[in-house]
């Protein structure tokens, strides 16, 4: 499992969001309060952020635990941004692909993270992998489950889907192919945030002013934090947050196809 966080709002030092709070993402790397699976997120970390006037984000990623990286502390103290996505990683498979497997993943203006694990990886997603263009598979940054989930999301984004729709449909496809998967996805383009709660915790905080934080768990004890119900899609800007229940998996086409096949079995 992992912990992750996205922010859109006024420009702030990265450390004000990632290091300074009492229960910051930095602290969640060794002492998460609400993580349901795993206890330490020491298999890499990353942060992506946007500079004013540049839609393509910068990234800083490493393979080790965030608490052992002094450069990260310096970076977050002086770099300011009005939008970021950061994550600390607990690898599904220890040692898989190192830095390349650490979120955030990126393409164009997007930053992406996956908190969770795909059940039955990698065999369970072989049918979905075959739906991707060969060039997308060959250019994946890593061979982990999160990288393939990102490839599936990115394929939908490049096909014209809105960010929230791309996440929702990918979650439903993956959940149908690999029941029991945990699929908390987080995506930003520097202006908006889209996220799913599917199998682990997700919270959001708005204000004061035009700012929104979406995170695996609250980084402080501010009573304004709101928990996102499981199996929910969140879409947010600096001023608005919308929660939409994800369709029941039984109504999703991929699942309906499985149900149809099962109905052909002899009745007893």
């Amino acid at each position: 499992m992992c912990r992750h966080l996205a922010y859109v709002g006024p420009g702030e030092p990265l450390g004000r969001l990632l290091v300074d709070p009492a229960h910051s993402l930095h602290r969640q790397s060794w002492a998460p309060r609400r993580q349901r699976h795993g206890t330490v997120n020491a298999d890499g970390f990353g942060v992506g952020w946007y500079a004013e006037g540049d839609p393509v984000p910068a990234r800083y990623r490493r393979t080790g635990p965030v608490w052992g990286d002094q450069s990260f502390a310096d970076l977050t103290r002086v770099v300011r941004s009005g939008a970021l996505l950061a994550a600390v990683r607990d690898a599904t498979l220890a040692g898989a692909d190192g830095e390349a497997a650490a979120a955030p993943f990126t393409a164009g203006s997007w930053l992406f993270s996956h908190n969770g694990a795909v059940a039955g990886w990698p065999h369970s997603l072989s049918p979905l992998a075959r739906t991707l263009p060969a060039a997308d598979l060959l250019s994946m940054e890593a061979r982990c489950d999160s990288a393939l989930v990102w490839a599936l999301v990115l394929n939908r984004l490049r096909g014209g889907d809105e960010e929230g729709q791309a996440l929702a449909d990918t979650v439903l496809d993956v959940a149908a192919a690999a029941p029991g998967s945990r699929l908390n996805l987080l995506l930003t383009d520097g202006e908006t945030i889209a996220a799913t709660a599917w199998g682990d915790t997700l919270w959001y905080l708005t204000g004061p002013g035009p700012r929104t934080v979406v995170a695996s768990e609250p980084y402080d004890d501010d009573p304004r934090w709101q928990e996102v119900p499981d199996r929910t899609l969140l879409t947010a800007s600096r001023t608005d947050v919308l929660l939409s229940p994800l369709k029941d998996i039984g109504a999703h086409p991929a699942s309906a196809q499985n149900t149809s096949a099962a109905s052909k079995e002899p009745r007893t």
Side-chain angles (χ1 to χ4, degrees):
M1 293 301 290
C2 309
R3 303 279 85 181
H4 56 199
L5 175 151
Y7 165 80
V8 289
E12 294 195 14
L14 305 189
R16 191 173 296 170
L17 294 157
L18 304 179
V19 179
D20 296 346
H23 302 286
S24 66
L25 189 71
H26 185 274
R27 184 175 180 83
Q28 290 168 32
S29 63
W30 76 87
R33 294 191 294 173
R34 301 178 185 273
Q35 189 163 323
R36 295 175 181 171
H37 304 273
T39 56
V40 177
N41 300 291
D43 298 317
F45 68 93
V47 57
W49 69 94
Y50 298 81
E52 186 175 355
D54 190 341
V56 178
R59 282 189 301 173
Y60 181 84
R61 298 186 297 168
R62 291 293 182 266
T63 58
V66 66
W67 66 77
D69 190 310
Q70 294 303 310
S71 295
F72 180 77
D74 264 356
L75 177 80
T76 59
R77 179 176 56 83
V78 300
V79 174
R80 299 176 63 91
S81 180
L84 66 85
L85 191 154
V88 291
R89 182 175 184 240
D90 178 13
T92 303
L93 299 175
D97 292 316
E99 185 177 303
F105 299 97
T106 187
S109 63
W110 291 299
L111 292 167
F112 171 85
S113 176
H114 168 212
N115 164 27
V118 173
W121 170 261
H123 304 291
S124 58
L125 293 196
S126 294
L128 289 181
R130 288 194 288 269
T131 69
L132 293 172
D136 289 4
L137 290 172
L138 293 172
S139 60
M140 281 174 48
E141 285 191 74
R143 295 164 295 169
C144 62
D145 52 356
S146 297
L148 183 58
V149 171
W150 169 228
L152 293 168
V153 171
L154 185 58
N155 187 51
R156 290 184 177 278
L157 292 170
R158 287 172 171 166
D161 281 5
E162 295 292 331
E163 283 85 351
Q165 191 66 53
L167 292 194
D169 286 346
T170 298
V171 164
L172 294 171
D173 280 348
V174 173
S181 297
R182 301 187 299 276
L183 300 164
N184 280 35
L185 310 185
L186 188 57
L187 178 71
T188 184
D189 62 358
E191 297 294 333
T192 62
I193 299 170
T196 58
W198 189 286
D200 209 317
T201 58
L202 188 70
W203 294 70
Y204 70 92
L205 175 68
T206 58
R211 69 193 304 274
T212 300
V213 181
V214 180
S216 297
E217 58 185 75
Y219 55 54
D220 60 20
D221 294 321
D222 189 323
R224 294 174 300 138
W225 282 98
Q226 299 290 318
E227 186 169 14
V228 179
D230 194 42
R231 301 201 172 192
T232 295
L233 170 69
L234 175 150
T235 53
S237 66
R238 288 171 169 80
T239 56
D240 299 292
V241 174
L242 176 65
L243 302 181
S244 306
L246 287 162
K247 292 183 298 183
D248 185 271
I249 192 170
H252 193 56
S255 183
Q257 187 175 22
N258 292 339
T259 302
S260 176
S263 67
K264 297 179 180 178
E265 294 178 359
R267 294 182 180 182
T268 58

